[in-house]
């Protein structure tokens, strides 16, 4: 039997199987341009009657991979007439070229007689869109979709030095510095449950990298909400169809046009005040249903953007597949320009959503119709009258009923997943799961699945960075970059500290800046505290570090060697082990605001030796882990021999008349004559548990990222002093509980609060002054933390009894100053604060403060007034970082 006859049955089988397999897809590609043959970036291209769509790239090019057959493609671009083209797709990866030219939409306005007292007809259209805003916000009970996201960021200008001091490293240069693509499955369920599963990721020049793209993050730019959070500002921005939008916007109807059976109104939105947190641009509203068809809106620095010069948002909506009359987003593009510390650049984030599966909230309810006459039939000069507003109010019970139905169905969907559109694998609170192997796709995979073709610039970036990645990851190349990064500079030595890195071996040595190494106090005199932190990273991005320190006081001639180390044991569970051993010089308040630099300045130039110090010899061991999502547990145990220290020097630089240094004995109301302790041995344990209900998080193959929650964080602490073991002389118990939270109040700003209360139960407690519960005060003009006391003496009201401590800060985010013509140009933001303390000796202590932050984008200055039991206890100005 010859070879062919032996293989014939197998060849026949292969031919038969091939004949049963689906035909290979073909490609439709081309250019979408305007009448001047200029490419239209991010235009939408959809397959009529399906959930398949894509968008053009920055140059106007598009591509679609479709099975063989005949299709009708719909080309849309905001402000242009849609165009439908029929195309026949051949199989076998055959490319069909279809170039399309779009023409600007002609929006017509009828000639009318306009009186000076009349409102533009746009106001009546917006009024109806406002009335139906909540309906459209809730009309989709749940959906599942495929999301493609591409992010690009480029530098257009790079400074030689930051602030003229720190030299910019070789990693920063003009051109693309970040380019990534992701494909995800995304699901949504009312009221606001969004989950995402990333199935593929590509980062230019990093085959092991995983993109930080999040398709679900785009849900924050929902114009059916009253206030939008852009992520580029602390402020929220008012939607053009928000409930109070006419207080912030002026509107102008530029015309109406017919598109595919829909009457579309083009409305120009303009800020009433240039510096209000509002958008400018155009919205397109569908007549009759009063929903958004598309938006093209801008934000500028006048709207209080942070580190971003401009922000442009484009969104396009379309009917969802199926018989229900609900619409979903097809594409979103966010383009920005930025300037910070001499760096200039721009970039964009674009998202394309397709393959929708939608569950409507009201499947049997017809589309909304307004009680007002359609804008198309109303006279163009008809203002919004009291009568028309009354008609809208008559419809209000119906709208409220719809809202109640939406909330009820949302609760059912959240409890039972009745929609069947969830992602399945994700856990409670897990908003995103990045699957293992997402970065292992090859270029052929991306060529077949990418809905948005790469531009020439992007192709070059991938080609250059991917082809040179092996070289860039090689030891000679990384060593050459390290030689430049590791160069010494006066700015590094004084401000940021010096880092010596070995990229290839994933290790680095860090030396603190000189102001941390050299300081001064009246106990030790001049202090030299050289310390080097060595950090080693592993391939799975775990780390361990060790910091040896060799502190020496030239006045008391005391050498204090110590070492601190930490190990990250589990990247997902956030497990970390820490160790401290040796001799250290400590402040009686372990959380003091007196940094070595601040205390040195006030000692040498102001004759104020505020810091009170003691010597500590021993060892401490700590462990932190997250047993379940939202619950963090910290356990610590330590044994120290504490020794009292005395002043050994009175040297200073500027002698203030009438001022003298105080002793190194803290002054305290509970122990007015007894804070001295000589020597004290202490064995202590501490257990702290903090819980944040509803914590949202992202799971990545190399770790977990917590995103916070709408609920407060609750914390309890138990500290125990154990006497009679290893010579320990302390015996006490401290029980403490607290709550902290950050609350957004929309345009009014953000409030942060923290409340803590505790007590020392039992009789016969024995403890030294450093074991007291301390409250971090401040007597200097400089502050390290505005969320602490700013006028309180450092040790006066430290307690071994019961206490309640409250801190409240409200950031108005420019709500007030933005309305003052001269001050709003500075982009300052106002802030108010309250600090409260009660102990048996402090009675009721209160601080009230007002201030300004974002001064030169970095600084904050506050004025405080203190009250002790209802009587004024002093005033002061505090300056620190606030951005």
């Amino acid at each position: 039997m010859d070879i062919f006859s032996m293989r014939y049955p197998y060849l026949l089988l292969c031919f038969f199987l091939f004949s049963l397999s689906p035909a290979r897809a073909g490609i439709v590609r081309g250019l979408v341009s305007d009448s001047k043959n200029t490419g239209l970036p991010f235009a939408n291209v959809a397959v009529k009657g399906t959930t398949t769509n894509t968008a053009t790239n920055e140059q106007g090019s598009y591509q679609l991979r479709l099975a063989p057959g005949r299709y009708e493609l719909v080309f849309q671009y905001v402000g242009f007439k849609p165009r439908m083209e029929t195309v026949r797709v051949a199989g076998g990866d055959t490319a069909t070229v279809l170039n399309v030219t779009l023409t600007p939409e002609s929006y017509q306005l009828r000639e009318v007689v306009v009186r000076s007292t009349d409102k533009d007809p746009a106001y009546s259209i917006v009024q109806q869109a406002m009335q139906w805003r909540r309906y459209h916000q809730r009309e989709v009970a749940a959906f599942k979709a495929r999301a493609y996201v591409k992010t690009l960021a480029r530098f257009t200008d790079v400074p030689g030095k930051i602030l003229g001091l720190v030299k910019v490293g070789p990693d920063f240069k003009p051109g693309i510095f970040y380019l990534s693509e992701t494909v995800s499955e995304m699901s949504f369920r009312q009221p606001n449950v969004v989950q995402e599963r990333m199935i593929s990721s590509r980062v230019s020049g990093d085959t092991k990298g995983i993109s930080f793209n999040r398709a679900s993050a785009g849900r924050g730019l929902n114009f059916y909400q009253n206030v939008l959070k852009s992520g580029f500002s602390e402020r929220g921005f008012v939607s053009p169809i928000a409930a109070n939008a006419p207080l912030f916007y002026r509107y102008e109807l530029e015309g109406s046009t017919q598109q595919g059976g829909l009457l579309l109104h083009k409305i120009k939105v303009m800020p009433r005040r240039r510096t209000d947190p509002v958008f400018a641009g155009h919205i397109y509203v569908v007549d009759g249903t009063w929903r958004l068809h598309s938006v093209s809106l801008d934000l500028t620095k006048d709207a209080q953007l942070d580190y971003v010069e401009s922000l442009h948002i484009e969104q396009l909506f379309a009917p969802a597949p199926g018989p229900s009359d609900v619409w979903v987003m097809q594409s979103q593009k966010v383009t920005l320009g930025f300037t910070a510390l001499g760096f200039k650049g721009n970039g964009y984030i674009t998202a394309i959503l397709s393959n929708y599966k939608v569950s409507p909230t009201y499947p049997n309810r017809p589309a909304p119709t307004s009680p007002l006459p359609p804008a198309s039939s109303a006279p163009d000069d008809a203002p919004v009258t009291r009568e028309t507003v009354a008609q809208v109010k008559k419809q209000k019970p119906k709208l409220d009923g719809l809202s109640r139905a939406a909330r009820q169905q949302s609760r059912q969907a959240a409890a039972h997943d009745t929609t069947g559109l969830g992602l399945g694998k994700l856990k409670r609170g897990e908003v995103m799961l990045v699957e293992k192997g997402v970065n292992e796709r090859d270029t052929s995979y991306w060529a077949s699945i990418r809905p948005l073709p790469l531009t020439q610039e992007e192709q070059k970036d991938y080609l250059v960075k991917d082809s040179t990645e092996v070289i860039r990851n090689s030891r000679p190349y990384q060593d050459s970059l390290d030689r430049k990064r590791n160069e010494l500079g006066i700015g590094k030595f004084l401000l940021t500290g010096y880092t010596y890195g070995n990229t290839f071996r994933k290790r680095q040595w860090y030396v603190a800046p000189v102001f941390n190494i050299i300081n001064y106090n009246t106990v030790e005199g001049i202090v030299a505290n050289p310390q080097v932190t060595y950090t080693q990273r592993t391939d799975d991005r775990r780390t361990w570090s060790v910091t040896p320190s060799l502190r020496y006081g030239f006045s008391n001639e005391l050498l204090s060697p110590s070492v601190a180390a930490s190990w990250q044991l589990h990247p997902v569970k956030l497990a970390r082990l820490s160790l401290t051993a040796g001799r250290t010089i400590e402040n009686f308040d372990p959380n003091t605001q007196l940094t070595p630099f601040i205390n040195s300045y006030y000692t040498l130039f102001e004759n104020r030796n505020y810091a009170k110090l003691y010597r500590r010899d021993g060892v401490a061991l700590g462990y932190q882990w997250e047993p379940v999502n939202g619950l963090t547990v910290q356990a610590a145990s330590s044994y120290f021999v504490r020794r009292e220290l005395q002043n050994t020097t009175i040297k200073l630089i500027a002698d203030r008349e009438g001022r003298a240094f105080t002793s190194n004995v803290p002054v305290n109301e509970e122990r007015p004559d007894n804070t001295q302790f000589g020597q004290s041995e202490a064995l202590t344990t501490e257990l702290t548990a903090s819980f944040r209900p509803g914590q949202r998080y992202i799971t990545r193959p190399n770790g977990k990222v917590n995103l916070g929650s709408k609920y407060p964080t609750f914390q309890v602490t138990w500290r125990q002093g154990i006497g009679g073991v290893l010579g320990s002389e302390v015996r006490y118990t401290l029980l403490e509980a607290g709550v902290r939270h950050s609350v957004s109040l929309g345009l009014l700003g953000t409030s942060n609060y923290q409340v803590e209360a505790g007590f020392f139960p039992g009789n016969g407690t024995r403890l030294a002054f450093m074991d007291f519960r301390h409250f971090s005060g401040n007597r200097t003009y400089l502050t390290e933390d505005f969320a602490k006391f700013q006028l309180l003496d450092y040790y006066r009201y430290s307690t071994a009894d019961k206490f309640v401590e409250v801190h409240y800060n409200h950031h108005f985010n420019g709500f007030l100053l933005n309305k003052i013509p001269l001050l709003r140009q500075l982009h300052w933001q106002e802030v108010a604060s309250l600090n409260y303390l009660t102990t048996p000796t402090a009675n009721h202590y209160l601080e009230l403060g007002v201030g300004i932050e974002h001064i030169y984008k970095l600084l904050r200055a506050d004025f405080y007034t203190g009250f002790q039991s209802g009587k004024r206890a002093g005033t002061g100005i505090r300056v620190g970082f606030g951005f």
Side-chain angles (χ1 to χ4, degrees), residues 309-513:
E309 295 290 325
S310 61
L311 191 71
H312 178 73
I313 302 172
E314 288 187 13
Q315 294 178 348
L316 181 64
F317 303 87
S324 61
D325 186 22
V326 299
W327 285 38
V328 291
M329 182 187 294
Q330 281 194 315
S331 62
Q332 174 176 276
K333 179 188 70 172
V334 178
T335 307
L336 58 90
F338 61 86
T339 299
L341 301 176
F343 292 90
K344 295 182 180 180
N346 56 61
Y348 68 82
I349 304 171
T350 183
I352 301 171
L353 286 84
S354 59
N355 299 346
Y356 272 100
K357 296 180 181 179
V358 178
S359 175
T361 301
Y362 321 109
N364 300 319
R365 188 182 299 273
T369 55
S370 173
L372 300 179
S376 55
S377 61
D380 285 349
D381 60 348
V384 179
T385 65
R386 293 183 179 179
E387 289 75 13
T388 57
V389 173
Q391 294 178 30
V392 173
K393 290 183 177 179
K394 290 180 181 179
Q395 188 78 352
K396 194 66 164 60
K398 180 180 178 182
L399 290 174
D400 289 340
L402 294 178
S403 299
R404 285 193 295 270
R407 288 194 294 268
Q408 183 178 0
Q409 181 155 345
S410 300
R411 286 192 294 267
Q412 293 174 349
H416 307 294
D417 194 19
T418 57
T419 63
L421 299 180
L423 298 182
K425 291 184 178 181
L426 274 65
K427 302 175 183 177
R428 189 180 187 89
E430 188 175 23
V431 299
M432 186 174 186
L433 170 64
V434 181
E435 294 189 337
K436 294 181 179 180
V438 294
N439 52 4
E440 296 176 0
R441 315 286 188 177
D442 58 18
T443 55
S444 61
Y445 164 85
W446 284 101
S448 66
I449 201 173
R450 178 187 293 119
L452 189 66
L454 299 175
T455 65
Q456 294 178 0
E457 181 189 25
E458 293 163 354
Q459 292 176 15
K460 181 179 178 181
D461 191 72
Y462 272 130
L463 179 63
V464 172
K465 290 181 179 177
D466 290 351
S467 62
T468 60
E469 183 178 7
V470 175
I471 297 176
R472 288 185 290 108
N473 289 337
S474 66
R475 184 168 185 175
Y477 181 84
Q478 292 184 353
D479 287 347
S480 65
L481 288 182
D482 285 340
R483 282 193 290 271
K484 294 183 179 180
R485 298 190 190 106
N486 296 335
E487 290 178 354
L488 285 170
I490 187 66
K492 293 180 181 180
F493 192 62
L494 293 177
L495 299 178
T496 63
Y498 174 69
T499 300
Y500 183 89
N502 188 316
T503 305
F504 185 78
R505 296 187 180 275
K506 298 182 175 62
R507 62 182 57 162
Q508 70 175 28
W509 293 262
Y510 171 74
V511 180

Side-chain angles (χ1 to χ4, degrees), residues 173-453:
K173 54 186 177 181
I176 295 176
F177 65 86
Y178 184 77
L179 171 62
S180 72
E181 302 172 274
T182 57
V183 176
S184 302
E185 297 287 347
M186 185 176 72
S187 71
F188 165 81
R189 190 169 64 245
Q190 290 281 3
N192 192 28
V193 181
V194 185
Q195 293 185 311
E196 183 176 352
R197 182 172 61 90
M198 185 186 294
I199 57 179
S200 54
S201 167
R202 186 181 185 189
V203 179
S204 180
D206 188 359
T207 56
K208 295 183 180 180
I210 299 176
S211 172
F212 288 96
N213 293 345
R214 283 184 61 204
S216 53
R219 294 285 305 176
L221 296 176
N222 184 351
F223 287 92
Y224 289 117
Q225 296 176 339
N226 283 321
V227 178
L228 290 76
K229 287 289 188 177
S230 69
F232 298 98
S233 174
E234 294 178 352
R235 305 185 74 185
F237 296 93
V238 181
S239 167
I241 59 171
N244 59 346
L247 299 177
F248 296 89
Y249 288 99
R250 292 183 293 109
Y251 303 96
E252 179 183 330
L253 178 63
E254 294 193 348
S256 305
T257 188
Q258 204 77 28
Q259 283 191 8
L262 300 176
L263 183 60
L264 195 62
H265 303 293
K266 180 181 181 181
I267 298 175
K268 185 178 182 180
V269 297
M270 299 160 285
R272 286 192 177 274
R273 293 162 293 274
R274 184 167 51 89
T275 53
D276 275 350
V278 294
F279 299 87
H282 294 87
I283 60 174
Y284 299 80
V285 180
V286 179
D287 190 273
T289 58
W290 315 115
R291 65 173 77 251
L292 294 175
H293 171 276
S294 52
V295 302
S296 178
L297 297 168
D298 293 282
L299 290 171
T300 64
K301 289 195 69 175
D302 290 331
Q304 301 290 324
L305 288 170
D306 298 330
Y307 302 104
V308 175
E309 295 290 325
S310 61
L311 191 71
H312 178 73
I313 302 172
E314 288 187 13
Q315 294 178 348
L316 181 64
F317 303 87
S324 61
D325 186 22
V326 299
W327 285 38
V328 291
M329 182 187 294
Q330 281 194 315
S331 62
Q332 174 176 276
K333 179 188 70 172
V334 178
T335 307
L336 58 90
F338 61 86
T339 299
L341 301 176
F343 292 90
K344 295 182 180 180
N346 56 61
Y348 68 82
I349 304 171
T350 183
I352 301 171
L353 286 84
S354 59
N355 299 346
Y356 272 100
K357 296 180 181 179
V358 178
S359 175
T361 301
Y362 321 109
N364 300 319
R365 188 182 299 273
T369 55
S370 173
L372 300 179
S376 55
S377 61
D380 285 349
D381 60 348
V384 179
T385 65
R386 293 183 179 179
E387 289 75 13
T388 57
V389 173
Q391 294 178 30
V392 173
K393 290 183 177 179
K394 290 180 181 179
Q395 188 78 352
K396 194 66 164 60
K398 180 180 178 182
L399 290 174
D400 289 340
L402 294 178
S403 299
R404 285 193 295 270
R407 288 194 294 268
Q408 183 178 0
Q409 181 155 345
S410 300
R411 286 192 294 267
Q412 293 174 349
H416 307 294
D417 194 19
T418 57
T419 63
L421 299 180
L423 298 182
K425 291 184 178 181
L426 274 65
K427 302 175 183 177
R428 189 180 187 89
E430 188 175 23
V431 299
M432 186 174 186
L433 170 64
V434 181
E435 294 189 337
K436 294 181 179 180
V438 294
N439 52 4
E440 296 176 0
R441 315 286 188 177
D442 58 18
T443 55
S444 61
Y445 164 85
W446 284 101
S448 66
I449 201 173
R450 178 187 293 119
L452 189 66

Side-chain angles (χ1 to χ4, degrees), residues 94-172:
T94 302
T96 301
V97 178
L98 177 60
N99 297 322
V100 174
T101 300
L102 299 183
T103 58
E105 184 64 85
S106 177
Y107 291 89
Q108 301 296 327
L109 279 173
R110 290 191 301 275
E111 295 183 4
V112 295
V113 178
V114 180
R115 298 183 297 271
S116 61
T117 58
D118 291 339
K119 282 190 176 182
D120 190 283
Y123 286 86
S124 64
I125 299 172
V126 172
Q127 179 73 25
Q128 297 178 79
M130 290 164 52
Q131 293 297 323
W132 289 100
R133 176 184 59 83
R134 286 201 300 170
Y135 179 95
H136 296 308
Q137 184 179 7
R138 302 175 188 271
E139 65 181 352
V140 175
F143 74 74
K144 183 178 179 181
R146 170 67 64 90
Y148 168 82
V149 181
K150 179 164 65 173
T151 300
L152 180 145
R154 60 170 72 88
F155 286 126
T156 58
D157 191 15
V158 176
K161 292 184 178 180
I162 299 176
L163 301 177
L165 295 173
V166 182
K167 187 177 180 181
V168 175
D171 304 292
F172 299 95

Side-chain angles (χ1 to χ4, degrees), residues 778-797:
N778 188 17
R779 302 300 302 275
T780 75
Y781 292 109
L782 303 175
T783 182
E784 183 198 26
D785 189 352
F786 283 97
K788 296 180 180 179
F789 293 102
Q790 300 304 323
L791 300 175
L792 186 70
D793 204 348
Y794 294 103
Y795 313 103
R796 183 176 299 274
Y797 297 115

